[in-house]
Every structure is written in C-alpha cells, then in structure tokens.
Amino acid sequence: MKLSAAIDNAMPELVAIRRDLHAHPELGLAETRTSAFIARHLEALGYAVTTGLAKTGVVGTLRNGTGSRSIGIRADIDALPIHEETGLDYASKTPGLMHACGHDGHTAMLLGAARALAERRNFDGTIHLIFQPAEENFGGAKIMVDEGLFDRFPCDAVFALHNEPNLPFGQFALREGPIMAAVDEARITVHGRGGHGAEPQETADPIVCGASIVMALQTIVSRNIHPMDPTVVTVGAFHAGSASNIIPERAEIVVGIRSFDSAVRDALERRIRMIAEAQAASFGMRATVDYERSYDATINHKAETDFVRDLAIRFAGADKVVDLGRPFMGSEDFAYMLKERPGSYFFLGSRATGDEKPLHHPGYNFNDDLLPIGAAFWTELAEAYLARR
C-alpha cells in the first residue's frame, strides 16, 4: 500500500488519538495518563517501549534489517496551565489545563508515523521515537539527556517539528543555525523605605526608583547590543504598593530576556545587573537581582537541515518550503538534544482560514488536517534517513 493511502486510511484513528489527548491535558512531568496512552499504542505496534525517562517520557524503538544507523524523532507531550475557551465537544476535561500549543497534535502525528513505519518496514537501521515531557516549563529534553537518553538510545541524528498557525497550511519553514532563542528571566527587587504617601521626603520610594530602572532597561538593546544581534529585553511585570497614600518598602520588576549568541547573553546579564544596582544607588536605595538562565538557543545543524529541506521539497513541492530570513524569538528545549546530536528543528504551517488563534491562546485548537501531513512526512524522513544502502 502506498504511504499516502495508508496514512489516509489511518486518519480516523489519528483524529481520535489527538482529540482524546486534547480532552485529557497534563502538565510537564505529570503526564502519567498521556505517557501510558502512548506506551500502549507503541506496544500494540510492536515497538520496544521504555518509560520513566524524565518521569513521564516514553521512547519507542523499532529495528529493521542489519543497518547500524539510527535516528531519533521527538514529539512533545505536555499541556499548559490555561483554561480552555474553545467550546469544542472534546475540550479539556480538566479546568485550568489545555493543549494550547498543539502538543496533542505533535504526539498524534508521531504515533501515526509509528504505525506506518511498523507496517511498511521500509528502512534499514533503528528508529527511536522520543515522546518528551515538560517542554513548556521544566526542560524535559535536558532532563532526558541528563538521564542518559542518547547513551541508552544512540541516535546519529535527531529531528523535531512544531505546528505554526502564523504560517500557511502545509508550509515547511526551516533555517540552518539559530532558529529559536535562548530565554532568561531576571527578578529585580528594589529595597526602599516605606512610609506615608503624604510625607515622601521621609521615605525612599522604590516605585520611582523602579520606574527609572524600567526606562533604563530599554536602552540595553538599542545602545549596548550590536544591531545585527537579535535580542529582546521585556519588562513583563512590575509589582509594588497597595494604596495611593502608602509608599511601599519594595518593588519587584520581572524581566524576560531573549538572545541567540552566548557572548550577547553574558553581556545582557551584566548590563541588567549593572543598571538595576546603579540606578538604585543613585536613589539612595539597593537593588538585588535574581537572574535565572533557562533554555539555550536552538541551533540547527547544516547537513540535517539540508536533508529536511530537500525531503520537504520532494514531499510538498518547492512552493511549500521556505527558509526563514530570521529566527523566532520563542524558545524550545529541543535545543539540548541538538547540543548532543546533530539534527534539525522546523515548523509546519497550519493556517487555513486566517481565523486561527495563536499558540498559547485559550481559543487555540490544533488543525486536524495537518495530522496526515505530519505523519507521512515523519515516515518518509525516517525511511529516507535509514534507506537501504
């Protein structure tokens, strides 16, 4: 049976899988039902199944022929702490949680590929299907790597995709080198001296000082970082005070930082600390900075990205494949797998009507019409990479 026909025949099952997962979302490192669901499907298809990496991660392994080459394909499985507002009959049954990023679709696509690969056996080597928890918050990819993912499941290359409602339906978008940013967070606490709002001269007002810090932070990207280095410094929260006649003791500023280059990342931290501390000192106050580095930048490898591009052109046509002119400023913990093994991360467009809600929106819903495309592409990618030689 041709691959297209096999995937089309499996479409009702893929939709059922995706919608079941959508109705039962689970947060990172707590995806117990999800991982058990995945494991059952893989075992029924004849995969050797390993569970327990990063608590709820699942790896399905399928071998065929005598080839020594191996490939890893990753799907993320966790949901988000968002209350769903789609009104769908298969909407989340857990208040406050939903699959608002399409990980239910990513999982269903890879399970669809798992079936096709097992039935066709048109490859020579080893396939590791990696179902990774906690992409959204706890860095499940890094946990899996630290727990020996690639020691236990050697991969010559690893690949992952993400659906993207801002790209045309069925379009493959990729790029060599940086494709997703490193993300960090700074929590700046301004320590002032509170008092009555009618006697400001007797206080050290952390709100005024904090406002000065917020404005000074805006100069980092424009005056301290090279214009050709993509960088974002965003003040996402400013917490202080409780009433108009009370000057508080402290103010807290929460800053999100995005970058790609490691030297730029270091420079951003130095400059943020310097601005906070020096601005506070100029007001006769003190600022402390709790700086947390989160996901590293996602850096694609050239050979594997070229491989994905060439395959995508054959699969979908040249008009459906684009090289991104610049990376996305979002972050992705697949970065840690790409630091250990060569590979590529790319996007698959899902915009069909123009009315689609963006990722992480309470009204977002994965486009089920994308399921056969993703499942077929993963099948062809694995078969092409492990083609008999």
Side-chain angles (χ1 to χ4, degrees):
M1 181 183 292
K2 289 185 177 181
L3 175 58
S4 58
I7 296 294
D8 287 343
N9 288 344
M11 183 62 173
E13 181 187 29
L14 296 184
V15 172
I17 288 172
R18 206 281 293 184
R19 295 185 178 185
D20 183 279
L21 293 170
H22 188 89
H24 300 92
E26 296 172 302
L27 293 180
L29 305 182
E31 309 96 327
T32 53
R33 181 191 185 277
T34 303
S35 61
F37 181 96
I38 293 166
R40 286 196 304 273
H41 277 267
L42 293 173
E43 287 167 351
L45 294 171
Y47 283 73
V49 177
T50 303
T51 60
L53 270 80
K55 293 186 179 180
T56 48
V58 180
V59 179
T61 299
L62 188 67
R63 294 181 174 86
N64 194 59
T66 59
S68 60
R69 285 164 57 82
S70 59
I71 185 175
I73 303 175
R74 176 273 225 169
D76 34 20
I77 68 174
D78 57 324
L80 284 158
I82 296 175
H83 184 76
E84 183 163 352
E85 297 177 0
T86 63
L88 296 165
D89 56 2
Y90 55 87
S92 171
K93 298 181 184 299
T94 306
L97 301 184
M98 76 170 288
H99 273 291
C101 203
H103 296 183
D104 49 345
H106 300 167
T107 299
M109 287 191 291
L110 194 53
L111 287 174
R115 174 175 292 282
L117 290 164
E119 291 176 348
R120 288 161 59 87
R121 298 276 175 168
N122 187 28
F123 65 94
D124 186 21
T126 302
I127 296 170
H128 299 298
L129 304 183
I130 304 165
F131 294 86
Q132 179 218 304
E135 186 277 328
E136 295 288 359
N137 46 12
F138 299 116
K142 188 176 189 303
I143 299 172
M144 292 187 88
V145 169
D146 290 345
E147 291 184 2
L149 173 66
F150 294 125
D151 296 326
R152 298 176 63 181
F153 309 97
C155 296
D156 293 312
V158 290
F159 300 89
L161 67 75
H162 205 292
N163 79 97
E164 179 47 67
N166 289 323
L167 294 175
F169 181 84
Q171 183 183 81
F172 290 79
L174 63 161
R175 78 187 309 269
E176 174 191 342
I179 191 166
M180 298 285 274
V183 59
D184 303 320
E185 181 178 275
R187 289 183 174 268
I188 302 169
T189 302
V190 181
H191 304 272
R193 186 173 67 255
H196 201 295
E199 298 289 340
Q201 75 281 1
E202 300 297 329
T203 71
D205 191 340
I207 294 180
V208 174
C209 177
S212 182
I213 290 172
V214 170
M215 295 308 297
L217 290 173
Q218 309 309 308
T219 68
I220 295 176
V221 173
S222 66
R223 289 297 176 266
N224 301 135
I225 303 300
H226 193 285
M228 298 305 291
D229 287 322
T231 313
V232 172
V233 176
T234 295
V235 176
F238 189 143
H239 304 294
S242 58
S244 63
N245 62 347
I246 302 172
I247 292 175
E249 286 283 316
R250 65 183 62 199
E252 184 182 60
I253 302 162
V254 184
V255 187
I257 305 104
R258 309 269 172 166
S259 61
F260 293 92
D261 181 85
S262 59
V264 170
R265 195 179 194 184
D266 292 341
L268 288 166
E269 179 175 356
R270 286 195 303 271
R271 190 67 183 137
I272 288 170
R273 289 184 182 278
M274 183 182 299
I275 284 175
E277 292 166 1
Q279 287 284 334
S282 75
F283 283 86
M285 290 178 246
R286 179 174 61 91
T288 55
V289 181
D290 181 10
Y291 203 100
E292 181 180 356
R293 296 205 175 193
S294 187
Y295 296 171
D296 290 346
T298 304
I299 311 294
N300 281 337
H301 298 250
K302 176 176 172 47
E304 287 69 27
T305 303
D306 289 344
F307 170 73
V308 171
R309 182 188 301 105
D310 292 344
L311 181 66
I313 289 172
R314 296 197 301 273
F315 178 87
D319 61 325
K320 286 284 191 178
V321 183
V322 298
D323 276 85
L324 296 169
R326 59 179 181 269
F328 282 69
M329 296 308 295
S331 61
E332 166 60 64
D333 73 345
F334 189 64
Y336 297 104
M337 294 191 186
L338 290 177
K339 291 179 75 172
E340 298 295 324
R341 294 294 185 273
S344 190
Y345 178 91
F346 57 96
F347 295 95
L348 183 57
S350 59
R351 187 183 72 232
T353 66
D355 295 326
E356 291 84 358
K357 297 295 188 293
L359 302 175
H360 291 215
H361 188 283
Y364 167 84
N365 185 41
F366 183 88
N367 187 340
D368 284 335
D369 290 339
L370 208 61
L371 293 172
I373 297 174
F377 187 75
W378 279 143
T379 302
E380 292 204 7
L381 183 140
E383 291 179 348
Y385 193 82
L386 299 178
R388 290 179 174 82
R389 297 174 183 272

